[in-house]
Amino acid sequence: MATSAGSLNSNGNGLLLYHYYGSYYSQKVVMAMHEKNLKYKSHMVQLLRFEQYEPWFMRLNPKGQVPVLKDGVKVIPDSTRIIDYLEDNFSNGDTPRLWPEKGSEQVAKMHHFREILASLPVETITIGCLKFKELTKDMKVPLFMRKAILNSSTKCMEVLDSLSKKHPEFAEYYLRKRNRIWQRSPENQKLDDVRLKLDELEKIFDEIEEEIASHVEGLSAFWLCSDRFTVADISLTVLLNWLSWIGLDHRYWGEGRRPNLAAYFRRVQLRESFLKTFIQLPRFVQILASLDALKEKAPLIISTSVFLAAVVVGLYVYKCRS
């Protein structure tokens, strides 16, 4: 949901989530919110406009990353920390737990898979596949968005250079972020390195396929490691959806490969939390694609400023309808 009605927690303070529709890590938190039936207020941070580096947001999270959760005066950055905070503070009544029963073998498995999935180089794989499209098949990311992402590194470094001069109190963070962006920029991505990362992912999915297959006999109601949908399932679901968007589903669970993983993904797509988390993204992209096409077809009529205004209006309309 683009904007949820904020509910009051036990301290009388509402939950406020700073996030972005297309952010991999934001999607984890949003899905956890829906799984736990939590209402929250939403603040969309426009990453492609580098709003995450503005001083007001850097004061919330000096790393300049979404998501960030505010619960009253508490500020919690990082998707893993946020989900754990929600689990510790909102797990009774109508807010189900996202962990198996304490002390069970399933808890150890949940931690194992969660840690494996959290360690994946998602950014490297994403940029690599956008750059080397031959590694993918039926990519769902539209051309205009691929170009925007691949060209964003140079612009982002320029923005960080400018901000470091205007706001010296954050100069150290900006420089650190700039160096990291340069290291992971498309210019520094090599085809063989990306292929190696994709090959390493095969081993992880082999282990996941084996784990899911072990549930088939008498445990068909199980998810990844429990009959309860857990934080490990959220991590896996977001990953599978992401890989599908960048055109890698055929490699890991399509065309007859890993049938249990394929069945898992079909099943998880029926969950209400999945629909609420991801159904917005195609509509969001469609709006941006339509506006981009409009600009391409009428460059003499629609100036850049008018186009940007149209984007703002489009996003506003989209948020009101969601």
Side-chain angles (χ1 to χ4, degrees):
M1 62 187 152
T3 305
S4 296
S7 64
L8 297 180
N9 62 25
S10 58
N11 295 321
N13 299 312
L15 294 175
L16 173 59
L17 181 65
Y18 297 87
H19 64 117
Y20 184 70
Y21 287 124
S23 161
Y24 179 87
Y25 298 99
S26 293
Q27 290 168 358
K28 288 185 179 183
V29 174
V30 171
M31 189 170 190
M33 289 280 206
H34 290 312
E35 280 291 332
K36 297 182 77 65
N37 299 319
L38 291 172
K39 294 182 179 181
Y40 62 97
K41 291 182 180 178
S42 170
H43 185 116
M44 204 59 53
V45 181
Q46 300 300 332
L47 302 189
L48 294 180
R49 295 208 298 261
F50 311 112
E51 190 178 10
Q52 68 273 30
Y53 303 131
E54 292 292 336
W56 71 266
F57 188 79
M58 293 291 288
R59 292 186 184 96
L60 289 173
N61 183 8
K63 291 185 177 181
Q65 297 173 342
V66 294
V68 172
L69 179 70
K70 282 191 72 175
D71 182 14
V73 297
K74 296 178 182 177
V75 177
I76 306 99
D78 184 78
S79 59
T80 299
R81 287 178 58 189
I82 292 171
I83 293 173
D84 287 347
Y85 177 83
L86 296 175
E87 184 69 0
D88 290 340
N89 293 275
F90 302 90
S91 291
N92 51 53
D94 293 330
T95 55
R97 295 196 66 85
L98 297 175
W99 283 37
E101 293 298 326
K102 290 184 179 179
S104 67
E105 179 185 352
Q106 297 163 5
V107 172
K109 284 188 176 183
M110 181 202 71
H111 284 301
H112 170 70
F113 285 112
R114 187 189 195 190
E115 289 171 5
I116 287 177
L117 295 170
S119 69
L120 296 178
V122 173
E123 185 177 354
T124 300
I125 291 173
T126 302
I127 298 299
C129 288
L130 293 178
K131 180 179 180 180
F132 305 110
K133 195 169 179 288
E134 63 269 25
L135 298 174
T136 71
K137 182 178 178 180
D138 299 327
M139 182 183 288
K140 300 177 182 65
V141 182
L143 178 60
F144 85 94
M145 187 170 282
R146 294 205 302 272
K147 288 181 178 179
I149 295 172
L150 290 174
N151 294 331
S152 66
S153 295
T154 300
K155 178 60 178 176
C156 184
M157 289 187 288
E158 292 174 356
V159 169
L160 289 171
D161 286 340
S162 175
L163 287 171
S164 65
K165 295 175 182 177
K166 293 179 181 178
H167 308 285
E169 67 271 27
F170 296 114
E172 180 182 349
Y173 297 105
Y174 288 142
L175 178 61
R176 192 179 305 156
K177 176 63 71 172
R178 188 190 191 285
N179 291 339
R180 183 173 178 272
I181 289 172
W182 166 246
Q183 292 169 2
R184 300 190 179 186
S185 65
E187 293 85 351
N188 291 320
Q189 295 287 336
K190 296 180 173 57
L191 181 58
D192 287 343
D193 292 340
V194 179
R195 282 191 171 129
L196 180 61
K197 298 299 182 184
L198 297 180
D199 289 342
E200 292 172 353
L201 197 51
E202 296 275 6
K203 301 173 186 176
I204 294 174
F205 279 129
D206 282 342
E207 183 179 356
I208 291 174
E209 172 73 6
E210 183 179 350
E211 178 64 27
I212 298 173
S214 71
H215 304 157
V216 173
E217 294 298 328
L219 296 174
S220 58
F222 260 49
W223 289 98
L224 177 55
C225 51
S226 171
D227 58 347
R228 180 180 294 173
F229 197 82
T230 72
V231 293
D233 291 290
I234 290 175
S235 295
L236 179 57
T237 298
V238 173
L239 174 64
L240 295 177
N241 190 69
W242 191 263
L243 292 176
S244 177
W245 263 81
I246 62 175
L248 290 175
D249 45 347
H250 74 286
R251 171 169 181 163
Y252 296 116
W253 69 90
E255 302 175 354
R257 297 181 180 88
R258 301 185 180 92
N260 292 292
L261 180 62
Y264 174 98
F265 190 47
R266 289 193 299 270
R267 182 180 167 210
V268 81
Q269 290 178 80
L270 300 177
R271 289 186 74 83
E272 184 178 359
S273 64
F274 182 96
L275 298 174
K276 288 182 175 179
T277 302
F278 298 109
I279 200 66
Q280 310 170 85
L281 191 55
R283 293 168 57 204
F284 177 63
V285 170
Q286 286 170 7
I287 287 173
L288 293 181
S290 298
L291 292 169
D292 185 74
L294 184 61
K295 183 187 177 186
E296 291 294 324
K297 291 179 181 178
L300 297 179
I301 299 174
I302 303 179
S303 66
T304 301
S305 60
V306 173
F307 173 65
L308 291 176
V311 170
V312 172
V313 172
L315 290 176
Y316 177 78
V317 171
Y318 169 74
K319 289 171 72 175
C320 288
R321 289 179 177 177
S322 299

